[in-house]
């Protein structure tokens, strides 16, 4: 009998936080400042509330269908044909997110480090690392994520503390001068970032359940909100919202302001290292989710044989997705509804169908 794959609550929390704050910590300050100006923090908090609801949906589905993931839940709820179609769409989304993140990974290296190296080599290197992690399984890269989580957490806290003497609180004034509704124009974008936790629908069945599991899930969303909030506030308090909205990577520009003992600088390399680690975890966990989804939908006995073909497909799709960073950012901004449809709307619909069936069953 095959040993069941299990991870702890701490590992679940680490995977969720790392995968969500990676790209978001780089893009969030500029994107939210564009929509909400100096009130970007407010937009982020409202998005966090919806992100919390999103997490509740996945936890609730896990309680209604213990031992099942989003793929098997879809088939169980909607029947073999419709359920399989929905499951196939979800698997496609997992693959799509992996390729978008892989393209981000390579694009970032081209801009921040070495533009002379062909982009495809960065993609191949990342795909090989993630394939190796997926080959060894969820338990292995979940343990690695615990170490990465500690590094990332202390890195972000250290950065914002070192910048305290450069903050200008007056840049946040006046607060919500146009009311509570006007800053929410970019809410879909903020919600899509929190929705990066969708892969939890595939790993919850592997979490060693305790009375605190739900609190860890909620705590993960809270940590994500806090880290992103610090990022947005720090950029606004130092640059002001107008300047922040013009940067490609505001957080990188933010760190370049750090000086210690007048001659220790270039802390942006630290953030680059942190971002690389978080991108690795995000691609790996979505890669694993796609592989697990294919395995459950097609009832494959030896899923590892699909790792290499999937990795090759990721590299090819990532290379030809967009022509550059501007188009990539525009997709995230203008097409946020696409990501939210899979992250929030489809799971919520599945939960509604499950509750309706449960009610009908009880009344009948």
């Amino acid at each position: 009998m095959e040993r069941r794959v299990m991870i702890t609550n701490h590992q679940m929390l680490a995977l969720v936080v790392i995968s969500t704050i990676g790209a978001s910590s780089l893009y969030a300050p500029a994107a939210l400042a564009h929509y909400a100006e100096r009130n970007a923090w407010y937009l982020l908090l409202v998005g966090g509330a919806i992100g919390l609801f999103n997490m509740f949906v996945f936890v609730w589905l896990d309680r209604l269908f213990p031992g099942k993931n989003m793929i098997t839940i879809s088939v169980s709820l909607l029947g073999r044909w419709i359920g399989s179609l929905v499951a196939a769409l979800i698997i496609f989304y997992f693959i799509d997110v992996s390729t978008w993140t892989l393209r981000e990974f390579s694009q970032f290296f081209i801009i921040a480090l070495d533009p002379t190296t062909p982009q495809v080599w960065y993609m191949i290197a990342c795909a090989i690392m993630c394939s190796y992690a997926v080959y060894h399984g969820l338990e292995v890269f979940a343990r690695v994520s615990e170490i990465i989580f500690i590094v990332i957490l202390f890195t972000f806290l250290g950065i914002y503390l070192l910048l305290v003497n450069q903050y200008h609180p007056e840049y946040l004034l006046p607060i919500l001068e146009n009311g509570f509704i006007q800053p929410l124009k970019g809410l879909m974008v903020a919600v899509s970032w929190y929705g990066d936790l969708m892969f939890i629908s595939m790993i919850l069945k592997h979490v060693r359940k305790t009375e605190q599991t739900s609190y860890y899930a909620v705590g993960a969303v809270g940590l994500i909100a806090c880290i992103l909030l610090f990022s947005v506030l720090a950029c606004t308090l130092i640059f002001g919202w107008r300047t922040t909205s013009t940067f490609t990577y505001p957080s990188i520009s933010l760190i370049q302001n750090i000086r210690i003992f007048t001659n220790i600088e270039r802390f942006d390399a630290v953030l680059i290292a942190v971002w690389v680690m978080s991108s690795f975890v995000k691609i790996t966990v979505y890669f694993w989710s796609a592989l697990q989804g294919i395995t459950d939908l097609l009832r494959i006995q030896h899923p590892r044989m699909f790792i290499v073909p999937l990795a090759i497909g990721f590299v090819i799709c990532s290379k030809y997705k967009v022509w550059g960073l501007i188009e990539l950012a525009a997709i995230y901004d203008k097409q946020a509804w696409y990501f939210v449809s899979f992250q929030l709307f489809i799971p919520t619909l599945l939960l509604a169908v499950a509750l309706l069936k449960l009610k009908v069953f009880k009344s009948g």
Side-chain angles (χ1 to χ4, degrees), residues 289-345:
S289 297
L291 181 64
Q292 188 64 44
I294 293 171
T295 301
D296 291 338
L297 182 62
L298 302 181
R299 300 175 184 176
I300 297 171
Q301 297 298 320
H302 304 287
R304 285 179 173 175
M305 64 185 293
F306 285 85
I307 292 178
V308 173
L310 275 175
I312 294 172
F314 288 165
V315 172
I316 295 173
C317 290
S318 298
K319 179 174 174 56
Y320 296 103
K321 263 188 177 299
V322 289
W323 62 265
L325 179 65
I326 295 176
E327 188 181 358
L328 180 65
I331 292 288
Y332 286 146
D333 188 8
K334 305 301 181 183
Q335 309 299 326
W337 60 268
Y338 161 74
F339 298 97
V340 176
S341 296
F342 286 95
Q343 296 164 347
L344 179 60
F345 296 153

Side-chain angles (χ1 to χ4, degrees), residues 82-100:
I82 297 178
S84 295
L85 176 61
V86 172
L89 288 173
I90 293 172
I91 293 169
F92 166 79
Y93 176 74
F94 289 148
I95 295 173
D96 197 36
V97 170
S98 300
T99 57
W100 281 115

Side-chain angles (χ1 to χ4, degrees), residues 140-157:
V140 173
F141 65 79
R143 286 195 292 270
V144 173
S145 72
E146 286 188 286
I147 301 172
I148 296 176
F149 172 73
I150 295 172
V151 173
I152 289 178
L153 192 61
F154 280 98
T155 298
F156 277 113
L157 289 175

Side-chain angles (χ1 to χ4, degrees), residues 211-274:
E211 294 180 356
Q212 287 77 38
T213 299
S214 298
Y215 296 107
Y216 275 92
V218 172
V221 179
L223 272 174
I224 294 165
C226 287
I227 293 172
L228 294 181
L229 183 63
F230 287 148
S231 178
V232 167
L233 284 175
C235 289
T236 306
L237 289 169
I238 290 179
F239 301 127
W241 72 268
R242 292 184 189 277
T243 304
T244 298
S245 64
T246 63
F247 286 127
T248 302
Y249 299 119
S251 297
I252 297 292
S253 302
L254 184 76
I255 293 180
Q256 290 172 348
N257 286 304
I258 297 178
R259 302 286 187 277
I260 299 180
F261 305 127
T262 70
N263 57 1
I264 301 179
E265 49 186 56
R266 296 299 299 176
F267 281 90
D268 49 330
V270 177
L271 186 61
I272 291 172
V274 165

Side-chain angles (χ1 to χ4, degrees), residues 80-130:
R80 186 64 190 170
W81 294 105
I82 297 178
S84 295
L85 176 61
V86 172
L89 288 173
I90 293 172
I91 293 169
F92 166 79
Y93 176 74
F94 289 148
I95 295 173
D96 197 36
V97 170
S98 300
T99 57
W100 281 115
T101 310
L102 186 59
R103 182 56 187 260
E104 281 178 21
F105 180 90
S106 61
Q107 197 75 49
F108 182 79
F109 273 103
I110 291 292
I111 293 174
L113 294 180
D114 184 9
T116 62
T117 302
Q119 191 176 59
V120 69
W121 289 112
Y122 292 120
M123 296 178 184
I124 292 172
C126 184
I128 291 173
M129 290 189 298
C130 295

Side-chain angles (χ1 to χ4, degrees), residues 50 53-54 57 191 339-349:
I50 298 176
F53 170 76
N54 202 356
V57 169
V191 172
F339 298 97
V340 176
S341 296
F342 286 95
Q343 296 164 347
L344 179 60
F345 296 153
I346 289 179
T348 302
L349 180 61

